[in-house]
Amino acid sequence: MLEIEIDGKKLTVNQGITIMDAAHTAGTHIPHFCYHKKLSIAANCRMCLVEVEKAPKPLPACATPVTDGMKVHTASPLAKKAQAGVMEFLLINHPLDCPICDQGGECQLQDLAVGYGNSSSRYQEEKRAVVGKDMGPLVSAEEMSRCIHCTRCVRFTEEIGGYQEIGMANRSEFSEILPFLGKTVNSEISGNVIDLCPVGALTSKPFRYATRAWELSRRKSVSPHDGLGSNLIVQVKQNQVMRVLPLENEDINECWIADRDRFSYEGLNSAERLQKPMIKFDGKWHETDWQTALDYVVKGLNGVANDHGKDAIGFLASPHSTTEELYLAQKLARSFGVNNIDAALRRSDKRVAAAQQGALWLGSSIVELLAAKSVLMVGSTQRQEQPLLASRLRQSVKKGMALNVIHTSDDELLTRINAKLIVSPLALVNALAQVLKAAVEIKSASTTLDLSAANVGAEARAIADSLCAAESAAIVLGNVAQHHPAFAELLSLAQEIGRVTGARFGIAAEAANSVGADIAGVNPQRGPLGKTVSAGIGVSEMLAAPRKAYVLLNSEIEADAYNSQQAVAAMKQAATVIALTAFKGEALLDYADVLLPIAPFSETAGSFVNMEGKLQPFNGVVRPLGETRPAWKVLRVLGNMLNLSGFDFNSAEDVRAELLAHGDIAAALNNQLTSVAANVVADGTLVRIGEVPMYQADAICRRAESLQKTAAAAAPVIALNPQDIAKLGLEAGQPAIVSQGEAEVRLQLVADAAVAAGAVRVAAAHPATQALGGLFEPIQIKRG
Amino acid sequence: MAVFVNGVIFEGVDTAAPDCWRLEAYMARGGYQALKKILDNKIPQEDVIAEVKNSGLRGRGGAGFPTGLKWSFMPRSFPGDKYVVCNTDEGEPGTFKDRDIIVYNPHALIEGMIIAGYAMGCKAGYNYIHGEIFEAYELFEEALDEARKAGLLGQNILGTDFSFDLFAHHGYGAYICGEETALLESLEGKKGQPRFKPPFPASFGLYGKPTTINNTESFASVPFIIRDGGQKFLEAGKPNNGGTKLFSISGHVNRPGNYEIPLGTPFATLLEMAGGMKDGKKLKAVIPGGSSAPVLPGEVMMELTMDYDSISKAGSMLGSGAVIVMNEDVCMVKALERLAYFYHEESCGQCTPCREGTGWLYKVIHRIANGEGRDGDLELLESVGNNMAGRTICALADAAVFPVRSFTKHFRNEFEHLITHKKALVDHKWC
Ligand SMILES: Cc1cc2nc3c(=O)[nH]c(=O)nc-3n(C[C@H](O)[C@H](O)[C@H](O)COP(=O)(O)O)c2cc1C
Ligand code: SF4
Ligand code: SF4
Ligand code: FES
């Protein structure tokens, strides 16, 4: 510990910290631009110059380590003169076009210029002008004359984004911030540079000129997309969401959010928003009032129940729904006598629900995962599933975590990978079994699983070594594993490896409320907080053996199901499809019979339970659009209209309280299966890798226009390993035809060495591929 | 430009002989004896460093930091890789000595670097060569080949268990890459921009490993020091200013070129060696240590000796030893305008005061030189300079300010005259 003094205040601080850090603990503000607590120190802006006694010249607080007895003056005449000098330099070439600048009102340069600058300039020479740059559909770099060269954006892309996509070219006052020549900025977390840019050089393209910052109200919320549960500030004006920013939460999203969290709000204001209840009769859609629509629903449900029995009804709820909506949906279904309810819509392995003993979750807190010394990610297309978690894992690797990968494609993770096994989906179980086998050997342990078909390769051995040697290790199953037909086996193996090595294991929950759905009891075998219920069937069976009636909550099943071909067929044959939805999508209009307009997360109170089992409540940030109602209210009314008891809630909080009265969330989280099983024999059939593209993950982001213009949202292609292309006599760069079942889809064929041999990578959930079948099922391919 | 020599590096080098740079010629001059001496006698690393300390050798790259002391900063017990790096990025206007070392006597540098590698426990070294002297770079590569073939570089040098390899790398001509940490960045394949220090290269250098960077001339002085002893080197100069030093004389003299002379030699003697003033014109001003050093009036210079202490006492710097001689026909405003343009062009652009200040200085000086000066411009220049100097990551900002301060101080009347009368006091003649 060191004794120092800042502006006369005595402090005891840790060795190794900077004057800036020390000032922060003392609550003293030192002006700065380039300094950012999450980025490396650049010390280039020089705004933070302070006086240090005995130092011959002012020193940059952000880069100067404290020393014992140091006496710092942050606002002495010398410090102030130095700061004013820097401010003058920053302004001489600045266009001072604040009145037409989007950053106006939230510009650090503007703010500090008021405090540290002069009202007139001594600079009478010509000002520099810098031409605008194209960074893509999300980040605007039109007015680069405003740039103050703090290089925060450069450091962000390199250090947090994982790949330097922005650089500073040229020298001296001709220095320019730009993306690589001819390239845009494609990072899945690129929007953070907008927040980082202290001036109006990098601004939000979708938000540009929409409004002034001071006209916006700030409301807290939680991201409805992936399972990380990033905390948000949603900014609204006149009952409309105008912009989304990160709300700092060190344990979850730090001060960042992914582009999906930031720019999806455009979907909330989409023209496809359903604003009135609608009923289809005579083959046509008719807008109607709530009463008529709800009567119709009640009649429909009763009718099917009477004619075909309650088992002919299925409830399919999106895991992007709130906990309260999910809780009420299962309460309504079960009180009505329907046990068929599920929210794990893309899960194809029904064995998991039968064997699980609690809500599947990460197996630790996010912070604990990030602190693990060794992590094995299984079946996770990390950067598109949980973009920010992928970034945080990269930071952990820098601090010494060994990151191991078992996956179906060798994607660029922008970090050092300790060991990896890239195999066809049909060999995933075998790959994980190899690791178990190696771990059993290393630990001289035993297992009941038959591992004779697993031949331990060098990479599997390295993974096992890494897990065994680490003082803390974790195995995490991603979306590919969770959607995989052998999810139960993969989970079994993870459980066994965990048992043998001491590693924790769990899943990186796919959706904002995947864990919440399990907790709320939207599971065919388990009620709220694990309460025993009469078992029903899950989504895979409900679609394989079609029901007469479906109730969809927040789901566009043609994009949300494991097998969209099968799902759409099931919807089409049903007597009635009742959709509680915020959007009137094309497919829904085709197969549904009633559309009830419900509020998206921004227009209702509710909560999400993130992958680590943390329940995060939020309030609506704007009023429901048109005649939209929060789904919990709709379900409450429906419950009453169906004469079910216990549907008298006054608020979403009431609903939550009833759920939580069943028990404790933490105690309900459990990844242990009652019994483990695994068929380790790998199969050589040509099989599909069907992942959900980043911006097709849920109904809101599907409608976010700017996200849909990004490279990540490009039309799906068929990607194959070049060797397979040659073997199959195909030609890359030409269209090819893939087929599953009856359906054929013609797409561009791309050679991609990252794709595992024996696999055909064709994205799912996209309109272009919805005709296809299961995500990890056999697939045929021919020249097209 | 011919080399006129008389000192420890160029001793016995016949620069007119086309093969003077070859290994054979170097051996004939007693080359690699210092290395042999160390290896044969298994001289401990500390003793080598002590010898360099005793020699009083001060860094020849500009700052004059004692070389032996710098070497002693390298963590000797550090287990991983460590590097020695030579700075042949000679880009300072007026300086052209390092180029001649690698063109006429490259093995002196190679031997010096091998010895440095030995003393500091490094297995690899790099020589970063300025991008605008490509022929010199190619020749140096050939010299390296010769050394490798002769078993002087690579595994088990001269049959001992000491191994060291040396690689050459050429830059692309940016002046800033001569600043040692920008050089390291560039060597790593990144944009050449200085790093913030601390950490210093001795703890976090090339690829984050302990690294020592010295100027070409510093390394090339080492074989003599080891072979003939530090004391002898010290005695060749004067106390605290050991050895001989190369001076690159340019400007209005009859025989511009490199002169290797004992530190402490009077400037007048050096001027005489360079053939005196061209066309018998009057000496007006001298920049004694490269463009970054403050200019001194001719009459002041004539009283000084050429060593670190004497020049520094007079308010300038010995710097890299580039002596720019200006005669009475030089308009000091024009001369400063040219220098200011250089720094404006070469600032790497990362620090606000340097990026913005170098441009501002140049634009104001340019205006003055073009008869558009205004009252208050000189005060403005001073104030802008004060806001730059000592406020940045590297010394380039200071280097840009020193000429401005010294020109406007010693030759203020020329600036004032131009501002007031919109016409230069001296009718500038380009030579
Ligand atoms: C802008 C700038 C340019 C420099 N250029 C050179 C150069 O061309 N050659 C050189 O040896 N040192 C140059 N230096 C000094 C180096 O940073 C470093 O001090 C030197 O290479 C150390 O070697 P020495 O101790 O042997 O002098 C430069 C410094 C600055 C700030
Ligand atoms: S664009 Fe913004 S963040 Fe990037 S260097 Fe310029 S001012 Fe800094
Ligand atoms: S002082 Fe100038 S050259 Fe040196 S780092 Fe700063 S901007 Fe670059
Ligand atoms: S904040 Fe310290 S130099 Fe920029």
Side-chain angles (χ1 to χ4, degrees):
Chain A
M1 295 304 258
L2 308 173
E3 303 285 328
I4 65 161
E5 218 178 280
I6 296 183
D7 296 341
K9 222 187 273 181
K10 287 200 186 346
L11 297 176
T12 310
V13 296
N14 287 326
Q15 178 130 23
I17 72 168
T18 62
I19 296 176
M20 184 72 86
D21 299 331
H24 196 74
T25 62
T28 304
H29 179 75
I30 298 177
H32 60 266
F33 293 108
C34 68
Y35 165 80
H36 189 277
K37 61 184 173 190
K38 295 287 180 192
L39 301 177
S40 64
I41 296 170
N44 59 27
C45 78
R46 300 281 142 171
M47 192 61 217
C48 67
L49 291 172
V50 293
E51 180 182 353
V52 175
E53 280 184 24
K54 298 204 184 91
K57 51 190 188 181
L59 297 175
C62 69
T64 307
V66 291
T67 53
D68 204 24
M70 188 182 249
K71 289 202 172 91
V72 180
H73 303 281
T74 72
S76 62
L78 179 72
K80 283 202 140 149
K81 192 161 171 288
Q83 292 156 4
V86 172
M87 182 50 82
E88 178 178 41
F89 283 133
L90 284 171
L91 294 179
I92 62 171
N93 273 308
H94 191 82
L96 302 175
D97 56 346
C98 309
I100 57 154
C101 176
D102 239 26
Q103 194 85 355
E106 50 181 3
C107 174
Q108 281 163 273
L109 185 63
Q110 210 176 30
D111 294 351
L112 290 184
V114 173
Y116 301 88
N118 288 320
S119 47
S120 66
S121 174
R122 300 189 291 167
Y123 185 75
Q124 313 259 325
E125 323 305 320
E126 237 173 81
K127 282 194 187 239
R128 154 185 71 221
V130 184
V131 292
K133 309 288 183 294
D134 180 13
M135 291 198 181
L138 304 178
V139 179
S140 165
E142 283 298 313
E143 292 90 3
M144 292 313 282
S145 300
R146 296 177 187 149
C147 169
I148 58 165
H149 307 89
C150 68
T151 69
R152 278 179 170 194
C153 55
V154 177
R155 284 174 284 146
F156 175 84
T157 60
E158 183 171 353
E159 296 164 16
I160 312 293
Y163 172 60
Q164 199 195 50
E165 290 188 285
I166 302 178
M168 189 162 95
N170 306 336
R171 289 194 303 256
S172 75
E173 68 174 41
F174 309 113
S175 297
E176 291 185 19
I177 292 291
L178 73 179
F180 282 96
L181 295 181
K183 299 255 167 72
T184 51
V185 175
N186 293 335
S187 161
E188 57 280 3
I189 56 174
S190 68
N192 292 299
V193 300
I194 299 166
D195 301 341
L196 285 173
C197 182
V199 295
L202 305 182
T203 54
S204 162
K205 222 173 230 183
F207 176 71
R208 263 161 83 76
Y209 304 132
T211 181
R212 278 303 194 178
W214 57 83
E215 297 174 323
L216 297 168
S217 347
R218 298 162 60 88
R219 315 245 155 95
K220 289 182 189 182
S221 192
V222 177
S223 170
H225 307 290
D226 61 46
L228 193 66
S230 291
N231 292 195
L232 307 179
I233 291 285
V234 179
Q235 297 192 310
V236 307
K237 181 186 164 186
Q238 288 166 354
N239 208 40
Q240 195 180 338
V241 174
M242 304 300 288
R243 181 163 72 164
V244 172
L245 301 173
L247 173 65
E248 199 168 332
N249 185 331
E250 199 53 29
D251 295 343
I252 295 176
N253 52 302
E254 302 177 288
C255 53
W256 317 121
I257 50 175
D259 288 353
R260 185 164 56 194
D261 305 316
R262 182 184 302 268
F263 296 108
S264 279
Y265 73 88
E266 282 190 296
L268 299 170
N269 308 327
S270 126
E272 274 196 342
R273 276 296 297 276
L274 177 67
Q275 301 204 30
K276 273 185 175 204
M278 291 171 74
I279 303 179
K280 186 157 56 181
F281 55 84
D282 301 338
K284 280 207 205 73
W285 282 101
H286 303 273
E287 287 190 347
T288 184
D289 55 73
W290 270 103
Q291 191 58 43
T292 314
L294 290 174
D295 282 342
Y296 185 95
V297 169
V298 168
K299 238 180 23 225
L301 285 176
N302 282 328
V304 172
N306 292 337
D307 296 351
H308 305 280
K310 303 261 165 85
D311 195 40
I313 301 173
F315 275 65
L316 299 172
S318 160
H320 297 277
S321 312
T322 67
T323 317
E324 296 70 15
E325 292 162 1
L326 290 161
Y327 173 73
L328 280 189
Q330 65 81 36
K331 181 169 180 175
L332 183 115
R334 290 187 170 122
S335 312
F336 185 62
V338 175
N339 298 320
N340 308 329
I341 180 157
D342 207 349
L345 300 185
R346 292 195 188 100
R347 190 182 293 171
S348 58
D349 191 347
K350 62 179 184 183
R351 295 171 292 179
V352 173
Q356 79 188 96
Q357 304 182 72
L360 301 186
W361 67 305
L362 187 59
S364 72
S365 71
I366 291 164
V367 169
E368 282 167 327
L369 172 73
L370 295 169
K373 290 281 170 272
S374 171
V375 167
L376 168 60
M377 296 295 291
V378 183
S380 174
T381 311
Q382 297 178 38
R383 287 172 57 200
Q384 75 188 39
E385 291 174 10
Q386 326 275 356
L388 209 52
L389 183 66
S391 160
R392 294 202 67 177
L393 282 167
R394 289 197 289 272
Q395 308 310 315
S396 294
V397 170
K398 281 190 215 158
K399 292 183 199 129
M401 170 193 287
L403 185 60
N404 304 282
V405 169
I406 294 182
H407 196 31
T408 51
S409 42
D410 193 4
D411 296 330
E412 183 49 74
L413 293 173
L414 305 174
T415 189
R416 208 181 78 78
I417 304 299
N418 181 57
K420 65 184 170 196
L421 271 167
I422 305 301
V423 297
S424 144
L426 297 179
L428 264 186
V429 172
N430 182 279
L432 198 53
Q434 290 179 42
V435 175
L436 173 59
K437 194 167 182 174
V440 165
E441 279 168 28
I442 295 166
K443 291 277 183 187
S444 312
S446 64
T447 174
T448 54
L449 296 177
D450 176 6
L451 302 176
S452 50
N455 297 314
V456 180
E459 293 292 303
R461 157 76 54 176
I463 295 172
D465 279 338
S466 159
L467 292 173
C468 290
E471 65 194 63
S472 57
I475 305 161
V476 179
L477 307 192
N479 289 357
V480 167
Q482 293 170 53
H483 300 159
H484 197 282
F487 178 35
E489 300 177 41
L490 294 168
L491 201 52
S492 293
L493 286 162
Q495 178 169 335
E496 280 293 277
I497 298 171
R499 183 179 60 75
V500 171
T501 64
R504 286 188 290 255
F505 73 101
I507 62 161
E510 176 179 8
N513 215 12
S514 292
V515 177
D518 245 359
I519 293 289
V522 182
N523 178 307
Q525 310 251 358
R526 299 161 43 76
L529 286 152
K531 226 175 73 171
T532 314
V533 292
S534 323
I537 54 173
V539 58
S540 57
E541 291 159 285
M542 280 188 253
L543 296 175
R547 306 289 106 181
K548 284 286 173 233
Y550 290 99
V551 178
L552 304 180
L553 174 62
N554 260 321
S555 168
E556 302 185 307
I557 199 71
E558 71 283 1
D560 293 347
Y562 173 76
N563 184 333
S564 49
Q565 193 178 70
Q566 189 187 55
V568 172
M571 294 304 126
K572 285 190 172 162
Q573 63 74 50
T576 185
V577 175
I578 298 154
L580 285 75
T581 174
F583 302 99
K584 42 177 197 277
E586 228 176 284
L588 269 180
L589 289 173
D590 186 33
Y591 60 66
D593 299 283
V594 198
L595 299 180
L596 304 178
I598 57 162
F601 82 108
S602 48
E603 297 168 19
T604 178
S607 65
F608 295 135
V609 181
N610 76 353
M611 60 170 75
E612 60 184 345
K614 183 169 179 204
L615 182 135
Q616 303 193 92
F618 52 86
N619 285 318
V621 295
V622 289
R623 280 193 310 279
L625 185 69
E627 288 181 29
T628 294
R629 296 285 173 270
W632 71 266
K633 286 191 182 170
V634 176
L635 290 164
R636 177 191 65 184
V637 175
L638 263 181
N640 288 325
M641 289 174 70
L642 287 165
N643 292 321
L644 308 173
S645 64
F647 280 84
D648 311 311
F649 302 97
N650 285 321
S651 66
E653 287 75 21
D654 276 1
V655 181
R656 196 183 312 144
E658 184 175 300
L659 164 65
L660 295 179
H662 288 288
D664 185 18
I665 292 182
L669 303 170
N670 189 348
N671 292 321
Q672 298 281 335
L673 301 179
T674 46
S675 65
V676 292
N679 174 10
V680 171
V681 182
D683 185 330
T685 319
L686 199 60
V687 68
R688 177 178 178 194
I689 302 172
E691 297 137 306
V692 181
M694 191 151 48
Y695 303 136
Q696 292 294 340
D698 57 75
I700 302 175
C701 71
R702 279 169 208 147
R703 292 172 173 81
E705 271 177 38
S706 303
L707 288 178
Q708 294 307 330
K709 287 184 207 145
T710 60
V717 295
I718 305 167
L720 248 78
N721 193 297
Q723 269 114 45
D724 282 348
I725 292 185
K727 208 162 72 189
L728 296 165
L730 302 165
E731 204 178 324
Q734 298 292 321
I737 292 175
V738 284
S739 53
Q740 286 184 300
E742 303 283 273
E744 289 192 337
V745 165
R746 186 166 179 269
L747 299 167
Q748 200 70 15
L749 177 65
V750 172
D752 184 353
V755 178
V760 180
R761 194 177 202 182
V762 191
H766 192 281
T769 57
Q770 279 168 10
L772 291 173
L775 304 185
F776 300 96
E777 303 295 333
I779 191 165
Q780 290 77 45
I781 182 164
K782 62 183 182 198
R783 278 169 177 264
Chain B
M1 222 175 297
V3 196
F4 300 86
V5 295
N6 160 26
V8 306
I9 295 175
F10 279 96
E11 188 186 39
V13 182
D14 175 8
T15 55
D19 281 343
C20 68
W21 60 275
R22 292 212 170 265
L23 179 61
E24 206 186 327
Y26 183 63
M27 291 288 208
R29 296 194 290 269
Y32 288 107
Q33 279 177 17
L35 179 64
K36 280 208 183 78
K37 178 173 159 186
I38 290 174
L39 295 179
D40 288 349
N41 301 308
K42 296 196 167 58
I43 299 180
Q45 295 174 320
E46 304 83 76
D47 293 5
V48 175
I49 295 178
E51 201 61 48
V52 177
K53 276 190 185 161
N54 291 342
S55 75
L57 172 63
R58 291 171 63 169
R60 304 303 198 216
F65 192 83
T67 303
L69 187 60
K70 190 188 261 189
W71 289 14
S72 70
F73 292 155
M74 280 286 266
R76 230 151 319 140
S77 54
F78 184 84
D81 292 333
K82 285 182 277 187
Y83 299 104
V84 288
V85 173
C86 175
N87 190 342
T88 310
D89 191 50
E90 199 169 45
E92 175 108 339
T95 319
F96 44 84
K97 65 188 177 67
D98 297 338
R99 179 192 63 191
D100 280 356
I101 292 176
I102 63 169
V103 167
Y104 296 115
N105 201 12
H107 285 285
L109 169 61
I110 296 173
E111 186 180 5
M113 287 191 74
I114 300 172
I115 293 170
Y118 174 91
M120 292 177 278
C122 308
K123 294 210 171 44
Y126 294 88
N127 185 17
Y128 188 101
I129 300 171
H130 196 66
E132 286 157 354
I133 50 170
F134 200 74
E135 298 82 1
Y137 159 76
E138 286 185 324
L139 191 140
F140 187 73
E141 286 279 23
E142 241 187 287
L144 284 177
D145 262 355
E146 285 185 320
R148 277 192 206 106
K149 290 205 181 95
L152 294 158
L153 282 175
Q155 291 297 312
N156 303 97
I157 292 176
L158 298 174
T160 63
D161 57 6
F162 170 58
S163 302
F164 178 81
D165 214 341
L166 186 54
F167 307 93
H169 179 92
H170 77 84
Y172 282 90
Y175 171 58
I176 194 58
C177 289
E179 194 281 339
E180 56 189 17
T181 55
L183 183 152
L184 294 178
E185 288 283 294
S186 174
L187 200 49
E188 290 180 10
K190 302 177 188 152
K191 186 180 180 191
Q193 287 190 161
R195 298 176 182 167
F196 182 82
K197 288 142 283 188
F200 291 95
S203 58
F204 190 93
L206 186 62
Y207 303 113
K209 307 289 181 198
T211 301
T212 290
I213 302 147
N214 276 116
N215 172 255
T216 316
E217 189 185 349
S218 310
F219 280 125
S221 304
V222 169
F224 177 93
I225 293 169
I226 300 301
R227 197 189 59 203
D228 293 1
Q231 189 59 30
K232 193 153 170 217
F233 183 86
L234 183 63
E235 284 163 6
K238 66 181 229 188
N240 198 34
N241 296 269
T244 59
K245 163 105 192 71
L246 274 158
F247 289 99
S248 310
I249 299 202
S250 62
H252 302 126
V253 295
N254 278 314
R255 274 186 297 157
N258 284 316
Y259 295 83
E260 192 176 30
I261 54 172
L263 283 170
T265 305
F267 169 73
T269 311
L270 179 61
L271 185 57
E272 214 180 293
M273 290 170 85
M277 294 300 293
K278 203 165 160 236
D279 303 332
K281 296 262 178 170
K282 200 169 152 250
L283 174 68
K284 178 173 185 180
V286 177
I287 302 179
S291 62
S292 311
V295 68
L296 292 174
E299 55 282 10
V300 174
M301 273 311 288
M302 290 306 279
E303 303 302 316
L304 299 179
T305 56
M306 296 306 289
D307 56 81
Y308 296 96
D309 298 341
S310 151
I311 302 281
S312 134
K313 220 182 285 163
S316 186
M317 305 183 310
L318 194 68
S320 55
V323 181
I324 303 172
V325 176
M326 291 174 259
N327 70 16
E328 56 195 316
D329 290 341
V330 172
C331 165
M332 298 308 273
V333 183
K334 272 226 163 331
L336 179 62
E337 181 194 9
R338 191 64 196 77
L339 286 175
Y341 181 77
F342 174 79
Y343 290 104
H344 168 41
E345 179 74 34
E346 297 291 342
S347 157
C348 86
Q350 60 174 331
C351 316
T352 304
C354 176
R355 176 184 64 247
E356 306 295 336
T358 50
W360 197 353
L361 290 180
Y362 167 67
K363 286 174 203 169
V364 173
I365 296 163
H366 176 73
R367 247 196 316 102
I368 298 175
N370 283 283
E372 291 163 24
R374 305 186 190 114
D375 282 349
D377 273 350
L378 293 181
E379 293 69 26
L380 180 64
L381 286 176
E382 189 186 345
S383 156
V384 170
N386 289 345
N387 284 340
M388 293 167 65
R391 311 258 163 111
T392 54
I393 289 177
C394 86
L396 187 139
D398 297 76
V401 173
F402 290 158
V404 177
R405 281 187 187 155
S406 56
F407 274 70
T408 54
K409 175 179 165 205
H410 295 301
F411 303 95
R412 199 170 186 83
N413 60 333
E414 291 190 35
F415 288 82
E416 282 169 346
H417 190 274
L418 239 169
I419 292 172
T420 321
H421 303 288
K422 313 295 175 205
K423 201 178 150 313
L425 190 60
V426 177
D427 186 15
H428 187 77
K429 292 192 188 67
W430 300 107
C431 51

